[in-house]
Amino acid sequence: MGNRTPLYDNHLKMGAKIVDFGGWDMPLHYGSQIEEHHKVRKDCGMFDVSHMNVVDVKGAKVRDFFRLLLANNVDKLKTKGKALYSCMLTAKGGVIDDLIVYYMDDQWFRVVMNAATRDKDMAWVNTAAKEFGGLTVTPRNDLAMIAVQGPNAKEKIYQALGEALRTPAGALKPFHAAAVGELFIATTGYTGEDGFEIILPAKAAPFTWQMLNEAGVAPIGLGARDTLRLEAGMNLYGSDMDETTTPLESGLAWTVALEPSDRKFIGREVLDKQKAQGVPRQLVGLVLEGRGVLRNHQKVISNGAWEGEITSGSFSPTLNQAIALARVPAAVKIGDRATVDLRGKPATVRVVKYPFVRNGKSCF
């Protein structure tokens, strides 16, 4: 038996197929992964993301702490509730985890980190926090998290949880959050669709889930979550990046702030060097030109000229064809073709710019 979120019983009642996910008993799907995927693209659905690691860091030097800890620069966070996506790096520039940090006030930042990396993340954050003195690091195990995503997500949330949310939540720009009563509502997500991620007291989660469901929000499992994020061109930790890759090799250069040049952050020296010398590898999108499915770890080969590897591959329900993210040499260009071995047969893939899908429509 793994760890269970406050919504575990709700999942069972809704007929979820439960699987082990990084030590957590989580719903893979509630009957049909493909139907759940389309539901989010065309209407809306809700995900239990209570396994994510929500941590509050407080203290007078909290901003200085995150300036050192993260590759992105928290000085960009000037208004309360603003969020920043960043990687936390080793001294060698490898990615320990990717995370979202929210600026709550001058002495309080909230971080949402991945579930599977919880132990190593906490060890790293706690060790770094000790150097600063006076910081408190509090994992919020008393909280749950529900993501509601899709074109109709916001309207159905107001319908389910009350019109009083419409003004404060509706006014939020992308990548912002606001506390409304006991709810912490953020315009972040992992599907490429509109919607909110709601952090709330764990004890209130089962009732809230039920209210959303009664307003017509379908439950969505981890299976569709993965195909949705892949279509949206979003990295998955442990697949598209890890401690052996830098953010610059993982399509995440936009999350690295090398200016101002006098800001010291862990892993900076390696990234400065890589930027100056040129990044050896890059992350690109692939589309399979025929039938079949692309899978993680398949080799991508181009006439012996170069070789790469698929980091995330799947069938895209929206595009009705196989897509992938792959790490390939830096010289590979958009439009290049290569082959992937699909069960002993070579299949042609085309290198494309991702995301593959935006606002429910193909980017090609």
Side-chain angles (χ1 to χ4, degrees):
M1 188 177 109
N3 295 308
R4 289 177 176 175
T5 77
L7 293 167
Y8 180 76
D9 289 340
N10 297 60
H11 301 318
L12 292 186
K13 278 182 203 145
M14 290 175 165
K17 177 177 168 54
I18 301 287
V19 294
D20 172 64
F21 181 78
W24 290 78
D25 292 341
M26 297 297 287
L28 180 66
H29 59 71
Y30 301 81
S32 166
Q33 181 177 325
I34 300 264
E35 275 173 32
E36 288 167 30
H37 180 107
H38 288 312
K39 191 86 178 161
V40 174
R41 287 276 180 254
K42 292 172 182 161
D43 180 12
C44 72
M46 58 184 175
F47 304 80
D48 177 11
V49 281
S50 308
H51 60 315
M52 301 289 276
N53 186 18
V54 180
V55 179
D56 285 339
V57 185
K58 295 184 179 183
K61 292 184 180 169
V62 68
R63 188 179 284 270
D64 292 338
F65 171 66
F66 281 109
R67 287 187 77 196
L68 174 72
L69 193 73
L70 303 181
N72 211 338
N73 190 355
V74 290
D75 287 348
K76 295 174 186 173
L77 302 179
K78 293 181 169 57
T79 51
K80 288 180 185 173
K82 178 90 175 79
L84 187 74
Y85 175 68
S86 182
C87 293
M88 183 164 67
L89 308 179
T90 66
K92 292 179 178 169
V95 181
I96 293 171
D97 200 9
D98 65 320
L99 52 85
I100 292 176
V101 59
Y102 297 91
Y103 165 47
M104 307 296 282
D105 65 39
D106 290 336
Q107 303 216 0
W108 172 22
F109 281 68
R110 171 167 283 178
V111 201
V112 180
M113 299 185 266
N114 282 306
T117 47
R118 182 180 295 244
D119 293 345
K120 103 177 154 167
D121 288 351
M122 292 313 295
W124 187 259
V125 169
N126 283 321
T127 304
K130 279 197 187 104
E131 309 272 316
F132 270 75
L135 286 183
T136 60
V137 178
T138 312
R140 297 298 307 270
N141 301 330
D142 57 319
L143 298 175
M145 192 164 160
I146 299 170
V148 188
Q149 301 276 294
N152 299 328
K154 291 181 176 176
E155 280 305 317
K156 288 197 175 171
I157 284 177
Y158 307 143
Q159 196 184 320
L161 307 183
E163 280 294 324
L165 290 179
R166 186 182 290 273
T167 304
L172 291 171
K173 292 182 196 142
F175 249 70
H176 282 71
V180 186
E182 287 202 299
L183 304 180
F184 177 80
I185 299 180
T187 44
T188 49
Y190 198 47
T191 62
E193 294 294 336
D194 205 4
F196 294 125
E197 290 188 308
I198 303 170
I199 297 175
L200 70 169
K203 62 182 187 300
F207 175 72
T208 305
W209 184 266
Q210 194 58 40
M211 293 293 287
L212 286 163
N213 191 234
E214 282 169 20
V217 184
I220 312 293
L222 291 175
R225 183 173 160 84
D226 193 52
T227 50
L228 288 159
R229 72 90 198 166
L230 179 56
E231 287 184 350
M234 293 178 174
N235 290 40
L236 174 66
Y237 188 82
S239 295
D240 309 304
M241 56 187 162
D242 55 31
E243 289 190 27
T244 69
T245 60
T246 73
L248 303 183
E249 298 169 304
S250 306
L252 294 173
W254 62 279
T255 71
V256 176
L258 295 175
E259 297 295 330
S261 55
D262 62 349
R263 179 177 71 102
K264 290 189 171 69
F265 64 84
I266 298 165
R268 168 157 203 151
E269 285 167 17
V270 175
L271 299 193
D272 279 336
K273 202 167 164 187
Q274 210 173 52
K275 190 93 192 282
Q277 293 174 352
V279 181
R281 305 178 293 173
Q282 60 171 333
L283 204 66
V284 296
L286 300 178
V287 173
L288 182 66
E289 300 210 314
R291 299 183 68 76
V293 180
L294 299 173
R295 301 267 181 228
N296 300 19
H297 307 303
Q298 285 171 334
K299 290 266 177 283
V300 186
I301 298 163
S302 178
N303 297 332
W306 56 265
E307 194 173 294
E309 185 181 1
I310 289 177
T311 55
S312 284
S314 192
F315 177 76
S316 157
T318 307
L319 302 178
N320 201 30
Q321 68 188 125
I323 59 171
L325 295 175
R327 189 165 280 104
V328 301
V332 174
K333 292 184 177 59
I334 302 300
D336 285 359
R337 280 176 166 73
T339 56
V340 174
D341 185 324
L342 293 188
R343 299 188 175 162
K345 289 181 185 157
T348 304
V349 289
R350 186 170 87 253
V351 178
V352 298
K353 190 171 188 271
Y354 61 88
F356 303 90
V357 174
R358 183 161 271 158
N359 299 324
K361 303 209 167 40
S362 167
C363 291
F364 308 115

